[in-house]
Amino acid sequence: MRETSILREKISRELAKTDPDWHLIEKLTREQVDSGTENVRFSVDAGHIKRLGLELVARQETALAELIKNAYDADSTTVNVFFENYDRPNGTLIIEDDGDGMSLDTVRDTWMRLSTANKQNHPVSPRYARVRAGRKGIGRFAVQRLGKYLELETEIAGSASGIRVLFDWDREFHSGKNLNDVFSVVTTYTKPIERHRTKLTIKELRERWSEASISRVWRTVLLLQPPFGIKKIESIDEQAPVEDPGFEVQINGISSRNKKTSIAIGSDFLDHAIAEISGEIDSSGKAVAYVTSKKLNLKESLTLDSEFLLTGTLSFKTYYFIFSPDALSGLKRNVVQEMGREYGGIRIYRNGFRVSPYGERTDDWLKLDADTSRRTLLVPANNINFFGQVALSLEDNPLFEETSSREGLIENEAFEELRKFIRGSIEWAILRVAALRGRKQTASQRDFTSTTRLKKPSEVLEEFAGIVEEEANANSAQYSSHKFYESAFSKAKEKILEWENNVEQKQTESLQYEEMLRILASLGLSVSMFGHEIKGMRSSVAANVLVLQRHVDILDESSQKKKIQEITQTLSVATNRMFDLGAYVSGLMTSNESRELRTLSVKGAIERFLEQFSKYLERQKISVDFSIQRAELRTTEMHSSELDSILLNFLTNSVKSMKSAKVNLRRIKIYIEEDGENILLSFQDNGTGISKEIREKIFDAFFTTTTETDSDGLAGPGTGLGLKIVSDIANSYGGSVTVGIPDHDYSCNIELRLPSSHKKAEK
């Protein structure tokens, strides 16, 4: 009670003065309130500011990035960063932007209020309707993390004076002092009435900024926003009051736009990727991955089995590079590798700004480096092989929250779903690329036969030199150590063993291919003889059937006559069917006698094929839906029998599949469209489909899923050569054959790509 009386007396004495010390009155009043025994409240130690600065902002680049984000949130178009004496202790850092600035009330109630909810309550900026990047309100901790003193100058348009506030972090904000007792001095100054800006002058920097540090700053700035576009993040307020002119960062007079040009992480560089991989998750949780490659004539998609119900709608895109001469299209390997080390990785962007550390050299959030080093994946799949990004937004992906330190996302179930989606999409895509390049994909892959060209010994030595160079760059400090050479030669030995294995595989493949050619040659002779004999006997059999029918017609009407007529009709249908097949085979062999190549009308070839087998399709109760994007589409110069062979193999496989599935309404869909420089032929059916387990094997020689002889004769037993022949024909013309995603109501889709005639004409 005595202490309370003393406090009241001090307050009264101060209030009685002509010019009372209101700071003292506020402090004494607070002590008076806190001395009560009925309730208690929290207070904050002034040293907490220093602890928050060091704990919430781990790295100085992150602190600078937060201040740049604040400038963006303030609707600035340019932020200038100046380092003075940064290469020595106690340097100065100036950050000035042309944003809206702050009034004294905004400084007091928002900038200096800890954990303010202002940006949560106002998620878009007022002028350009930008989705605000900063949400934790840690800008003032970032400046404390960077230096000992801060001079804040801020100006708003329409006012003739600006506001200057000084902060002495170490001297004023120290432990043992109540935060409410720390007051920072405010002064005003005259300014042009139309000017608006905020300038932060951070003095006595806590750390020296080396040239390497400045390089890291540039890297942070350049990758702060997505370097190449994916699905645009829409602002919550679709109609901004003024069109956003963009945002530029300048460091010591160098523009980020010029810097982006100088590092060339744009289309000129990315066009050299072996493939482009992308994916998206829609509002229902359905996820689809895509892979395209002009170099490999690859364009495929995959619907993932899992549902992703927590992520929300999102998309990603990455460019995939393989550091080998045949995959770089003239770029120097060491240049691309250096770009990969500097800018490679899959980054995450939230509300248009990067979330660290994803995509950093030391970050392996997708476990790509780990699985590649353990050789779980045998294809090139390190983080440096990818230049990619994931786009998240506050509106579409609310379950993704950044940690308080701004170093990463909270790794909840939504994050795990995201990781699973990105990793699964990328792994599927790079394995498809490896398959088309004839590379082994996983250590567990059985019965693999390589289709790649054997490397010359000189090329193996060149790869060895590249390995030594990589090891030297990665371990420059240990360049002369025994450990370095042991590591380099170990990797080189792996390359040489791989070369030896490829030689052995090529020898085995050659023997298998020679065996297949001998079988095909004997089959060709047999088929040729069959076609010739059928053609020779056609007239004789047809005449005898006609004579038989006439003899039956003159018989007296009786049940016996009716029965003989039915038998004669059946015999006529059967012989006509045999003659149709013989004529088809004879036509193939006749056209093969001439090896002249010519462009083929796709529409005409398919219509002739369907007409030839119309009766067969009718007997099999198969309906065919044929459509073509443009009737004038023509293939590159090829042999007509090759296209007929492709169609026949597709048809027989579909018939066997639909019979195996026991479907009542058998359907085949043939669709033709122009696909860049290629013609895409999609052949679909509603049979059993192709399981994932055999999807990569169906184009191998002698692989078959059918063993029983088919009763209709045309489909016959499976030899395992049909799709291999199709694949060889397509590849010989620079095309491809792949398993695609079937349309609704269909279960299988084989997609054939052949170069179109205009491709050759253009060349």
Side-chain angles (χ1 to χ4, degrees), residues 668-681:
I668 287 176
K669 180 178 181 179
I670 305 174
Y671 175 68
I672 314 293
E673 69 176 3
E674 200 168 22
D675 181 21
E677 296 182 329
N678 294 320
I679 293 172
L680 168 63
L681 187 158

Side-chain angles (χ1 to χ4, degrees), residues 250-279:
Q250 293 191 3
I251 300 179
N252 288 347
I254 300 175
S255 167
S256 57
R257 292 170 182 166
N258 295 337
K259 195 72 174 179
K260 280 183 181 178
T261 302
S262 69
I263 66 166
I265 187 169
S267 59
D268 290 345
F269 172 75
L270 298 174
D271 283 345
H272 291 277
I274 189 71
E276 179 183 315
I277 304 167
S278 60

Side-chain angles (χ1 to χ4, degrees), residues 162-219:
I163 299 166
R164 182 182 294 114
V165 189
L166 303 177
F167 299 88
D168 188 339
W169 300 113
D170 289 5
R171 182 177 299 177
E172 297 294 339
F173 297 84
H174 59 75
S175 297
K177 193 173 186 179
N178 194 305
L179 188 58
N180 284 321
D181 292 331
V182 178
F183 293 91
S184 298
V185 176
V186 177
T187 57
T188 60
Y189 57 90
T190 303
K191 73 166 186 74
I193 195 167
E194 70 280 358
R195 195 171 70 185
H196 50 87
R197 62 164 190 155
T198 294
K199 179 180 179 182
L200 304 174
T201 304
I202 305 169
K203 301 179 180 179
E204 294 196 25
L205 297 176
R206 299 186 187 278
E207 298 178 52
R208 185 177 69 90
W209 291 70
S210 62
E211 290 297 336
S213 301
I214 299 298
S215 296
R216 288 197 301 272
V217 169
W218 264 123
R219 185 173 186 276

Side-chain angles (χ1 to χ4, degrees), residues 331-348:
L331 282 180
K332 291 185 178 180
R333 174 179 172 178
N334 61 337
V335 172
V336 182
Q337 285 180 317
E338 181 58 33
M339 288 289 288
R341 282 190 287 267
E342 190 68 20
Y343 300 103
I346 309 292
R347 296 176 183 80
I348 295 178

